[in-house]
């Protein structure tokens, strides 16, 4: 699949809305050096192309509730496609599992779990094990301090030159 061609203005638009999803049309146009109508048309084009997949608020959870962030490595007992599909289908439906990555290396998946506390996390794990979704082993890592949790993607560093 060919990568979309983005020019420097598109990248400025993407950077600006990553940093402030509530930026006004006028402020966005000013920030990227366009008049409002062409800027808005570019923004719509980026949305229609699926490059912008949504707008979200970042909630400072610890200001409203204590919570445990847990990283979990999971290895499945069997590695048939049906086993991966079954595991992923179940994981998608559990709201406390806020991220799941299929990874290469010594484990099959890394999950990010947000739970009320460590006991709630363990109850979640126990429920997963009872569902018999193929988990052979799992390792738990309790996050004790968030050093960096960036949501703004460094697009200029990730895109190929002359995109």
């Amino acid at each position: 699949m060919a990568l979309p061609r983005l020019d420097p203005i598109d990248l400025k638009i993407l950077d600006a809305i990553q940093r402030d999803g509530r930026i006004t049309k006028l402020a966005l146009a000013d920030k990227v050096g366009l008049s409002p109508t062409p800027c808005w048309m570019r923004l719509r084009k980026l949305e229609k192309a699926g490059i912008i997949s949504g707008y979200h608020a970042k909630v400072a959870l610890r200001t409203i509730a204590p919570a445990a962030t847990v990283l979990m490595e999971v290895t499945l007992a069997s590695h048939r496609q049906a086993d991966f599909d079954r595991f992923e289908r179940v994981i998608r439906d559990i709201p406390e599992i806020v991220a799941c990555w299929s990874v290469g290396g010594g484990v099959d998946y890394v999950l990010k779990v947000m739970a009320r506390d460590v006991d709630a996390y363990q109850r979640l794990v126990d429920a997963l094990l009872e569902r018999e979704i193929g988990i052979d082993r799992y390792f738990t890592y309790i996050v004790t301090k968030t050093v960096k949790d960036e949501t703004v993607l460094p697009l200029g560093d990730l895109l190929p030159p002359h995109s």
Side-chain angles (χ1 to χ4, degrees), residues 14 41 56 92 102 105 114 149:
L14 292 172
M41 289 171 58
H56 310 278
R92 280 188 196 101
S102 175
M114 299 296 298
D149 187 17

Side-chain angles (χ1 to χ4, degrees), residues 23-103:
I23 192 168
T24 66
K25 294 181 219 179
L26 195 57
L28 179 62
D30 185 53
K31 186 170 267 240
V32 303
L34 287 177
S35 60
T37 300
C39 182
W40 190 246
M41 289 171 58
R42 281 177 178 255
L43 182 64
R44 287 286 174 233
K45 181 184 88 178
L46 294 167
E47 290 171 346
K48 286 181 180 172
I51 295 167
I52 298 170
S53 60
Y55 297 87
H56 310 278
K58 185 172 181 181
V59 176
L61 179 61
R62 295 191 194 270
T63 65
I64 57 175
T69 303
V70 182
L71 300 178
M72 179 181 180
E73 293 178 345
V74 174
T75 302
L76 299 183
S78 177
H79 292 101
R80 296 173 310 186
Q81 188 59 49
D83 299 310
F84 292 119
D85 293 344
R86 179 183 56 198
F87 177 82
E88 291 171 15
R89 196 169 35 256
V90 169
I91 294 307
R92 280 188 196 101
D93 290 335
I94 300 173
E96 295 89 349
I97 300 174
V98 297
C100 176
W101 301 276
S102 175
V103 297

Side-chain angles (χ1 to χ4, degrees), residues 75-161:
T75 302
L76 299 183
S78 177
H79 292 101
R80 296 173 310 186
Q81 188 59 49
D83 299 310
F84 292 119
D85 293 344
R86 179 183 56 198
F87 177 82
E88 291 171 15
R89 196 169 35 256
V90 169
I91 294 307
R92 280 188 196 101
D93 290 335
I94 300 173
E96 295 89 349
I97 300 174
V98 297
C100 176
W101 301 276
S102 175
V103 297
V107 296
D108 297 317
Y109 294 94
V110 175
L111 289 68
K112 180 179 178 183
V113 181
M114 299 296 298
R116 181 169 302 190
D117 52 33
V118 175
D119 289 337
Y121 164 74
Q122 190 57 56
R123 287 191 300 277
L124 174 78
V125 170
D126 292 343
L128 285 173
L129 295 173
E130 285 178 19
R131 289 182 79 168
E132 297 184 11
I133 58 171
I135 297 174
D136 181 41
R137 311 179 270 154
Y138 71 93
F139 297 93
T140 297
Y141 304 93
I142 307 295
V143 175
T144 58
K145 177 171 94 173
T146 300
V147 176
K148 184 174 183 179
D149 187 17
E150 189 62 54
T151 58
V152 175
L153 302 174
L155 298 176
D157 296 327
L158 298 174
L159 296 175

Side-chain angles (χ1 to χ4, degrees), residues 4-25:
R5 297 194 56 78
L6 301 174
D7 66 20
I9 301 265
D10 292 327
L11 294 176
K12 285 181 182 179
I13 290 171
L14 292 172
D15 186 65
I17 63 168
Q18 281 189 101
R19 295 177 190 282
D20 182 3
R22 295 179 58 170
I23 192 168
T24 66
K25 294 181 219 179

